[in-house]
Every structure is written in structure tokens, then in C-alpha cells.
Amino acid sequence: MDSQNTYWQDRAALEWQVELGVTDAILDAPLDRYDLEPAPAKPAAVAEPTAPVPRPEVDPVAVAHAAAAAASDLPALAAAMAAYEHCEIKRGARNAVFADGHPDARVMIVGEAPGREEDRAGKPFVGQAGQMLDRMLAAIDLGRAHVNRTRAVYITNVMPWRPPSNRTPDADEIAMMLPFLHRHIQLADPQIIVLMGNTPCQALLGQKGITTLRGNWTEVLGKPCLPMFHPAYLLRNTAAKREAWADLLSLNARLKT
Ligand code: URA
């Protein structure tokens, strides 16, 4: 290609670019920007060290007291418990298990905590122990869905969330849920309270040792209260059904007074 030819070709290319609006030549040589090394990342700005902000001390029991006291009915109490964030057990649970049965029942039964089935269903005592409990109640013509309201029961637990591996709630966990349980009893206002096993006795009576506590009527918040063996214990220790039957008869007799 002779130089004359190149001149006219270069000139035509330049005129074409001017026609497109090019006004300035920036570099002497063309630059393929798609072929460039990526620009090195800018160093991240180093944050100025800040003084740690002191977190206000929270008393989980005081928070529970305030939340429970503010609940004016059972649905509000259920919502307040579901919103309570200070109990670690809640983190591993699928559902908050509040209660089942008839809220106006004469008998309120308090268990320990939901197990796997209860956690799934969101209802207390629906697994094997729950079926055992239903059979025990039916033996004295009581039931959570009894057609006759005077024979209906209302069922809840100390702990509304399933503890990991079904472990027993510890003393701190029980203490933080106790204001909710007290309020639950006040709002449901049963005539009689039945405590199933050690954990509700620890929570409401401040005592453990169900073998000596069971069968002995006592009081909780001014209401007659009967500690009994937990139905799960009866499934493992069938010989203890004898005492459980005596306690059921005692409960039935009390309901007739
Ligand atoms: N055991 C309990 O104490 N409560 C339940 O809800 C289920 C099993």
C-alpha cells in the first residue's frame, strides 16, 4: 500500500470520527480498554477505633414481670410470651406452646415443657405422655375437649418452648417464665391446679421431690393444688400408677365438693 493511499484512508477515518462528534485526541495511540488489567482494589477505609457502647443491663425476670402484668387476657398473654426474647430455649424451638383445652375449665393442669410432638403441633401434651394424660383424665370423666364444661380441663406448661434434647429447664429459665405462669393462672382462674411432676412443683411451690409431694393438697396463689406424678414417669414406672390412681380419685372427690 503506498503512502498516498494510506493518507486518504486515514483522513477518511478521521473525518468519519469528527462527523460522529469526536473533538479531541486523548492519546497518541489507540487503547483497547477491554484488554486492560483490572485496576487494583482500593484499600478499605480503616475504621476509627470507637469506644464500646455499654449495653444496658437487662433483668430477664423483671422484663417477664412487666410483659405478663401488661397482658389483660389469655390471647394477650400468649402474644407476650411468644414475643419474649430472654429465654435461650426459645432459639431452638419451632413453636411456642401456650395451652390447650378449655380456658374456663375448673381444673388447670401444669406440665413441664413441650417435647418433640408438642413442639411440632404447637399444643401441650400431644405425644405419648399426652395420650397417657388423656387416659388418666378420662378415667375420672375429665378431658380437655369434654362436652360438659364442668368436666373440662385446661392444660399448660412451665416452659412454652421445647428445651434442647428435652432437658429439664434450669432454675434461671424457670424463674424467668414464672411471671407468665402466675399471670396465666390469674387469667384462667381455675378452681383447682394440678402439677405434673417436679418442674411445676419447683416453679410454683419452690419444692422438688415429687415422690413425697404427690397426693398432698397444697395451695398456689390461694387455690387448692395437687402435685401428681408426671404421665411420662408413669409410662416408665408402671408400678407408680397405683399412687396416680389414688391422686385422681382425690382430685375427683375435690371436684364434687
Ligand atoms: N411433657 C410435658 O410436661 N408437657 C408437654 O406438653 C409434653 C410432655
Side-chain angles (χ1 to χ4, degrees):
M1 199 183 286
D2 61 27
S3 57
Q4 195 72 342
N5 214 353
T6 315
Y7 169 81
W8 288 113
Q9 278 176 350
D10 289 350
R11 186 177 171 132
L14 185 60
E15 281 169 358
W16 181 68
Q17 288 191 38
V18 171
E19 236 175 87
L20 286 179
V22 175
T23 54
D24 294 292
I26 297 173
L27 296 172
D28 291 341
L31 178 61
D32 182 353
R33 294 193 183 270
Y34 291 106
D35 207 24
L36 293 178
E37 291 285 316
K42 281 191 187 166
V46 180
E48 285 288 312
T50 53
V53 181
R55 285 220 189 156
E57 275 292 311
V58 173
D59 174 355
V61 178
V63 175
H65 261 294
S72 55
D73 56 20
L74 292 172
L77 183 67
M81 284 170 79
Y84 183 72
E85 294 296 345
H86 299 281
C87 184
E88 276 302 307
I89 291 182
K90 180 181 184 180
R91 316 244 172 275
R94 285 191 195 196
N95 282 304
V97 175
F98 183 65
D100 193 23
H102 216 296
D104 296 330
R106 294 166 70 201
V107 179
M108 180 166 181
I109 296 174
V110 185
E112 177 176 308
R116 192 167 46 130
E117 313 296 328
E118 290 79 14
D119 182 42
R120 287 217 175 118
K123 275 189 186 180
F125 282 101
V126 293
Q128 274 199 323
Q131 288 158 28
M132 178 69 179
L133 175 63
D134 286 339
R135 288 197 295 276
M136 290 162 67
L137 296 171
I140 52 166
D141 194 28
L142 292 179
R144 60 179 104 189
H146 205 293
V147 283
N148 178 351
R149 210 176 52 71
T150 63
R151 303 306 292 178
V153 299
Y154 183 59
I155 306 177
T156 190
N157 283 308
V158 172
M159 177 59 60
W161 301 288
R162 181 195 182 193
S165 316
N166 295 339
R167 70 164 171 79
T168 305
D170 68 27
D172 288 344
E173 292 160 346
I174 291 174
M176 67 179 81
M177 299 318 294
L178 187 57
F180 292 110
L181 183 55
H182 278 157
R183 188 77 184 127
H184 206 159
I185 294 169
Q186 278 174 349
L187 291 170
D189 195 22
Q191 284 174 19
I192 290 175
I193 300 168
V194 176
L195 307 180
M196 292 295 180
N198 266 321
T199 302
C201 290
Q202 186 184 348
L204 290 167
L205 305 177
Q207 293 179 69
K208 282 205 249 183
I210 191 66
T211 314
T212 46
L213 291 171
R214 62 137 287 273
N216 294 305
W217 284 92
T218 177
E219 276 200 359
V220 163
L221 301 181
K223 294 173 185 298
C225 166
L226 180 65
M228 287 186 61
F229 283 134
H230 193 286
Y233 176 80
L234 298 174
L235 287 170
R236 296 190 303 269
N237 302 276
T238 48
K241 283 184 183 171
R242 190 189 168 91
E243 283 97 340
W245 177 235
D247 297 346
L248 287 169
L249 292 178
S250 172
L251 171 62
N252 200 29
R254 193 79 178 226
L255 281 168
K256 290 192 170 135
T257 58

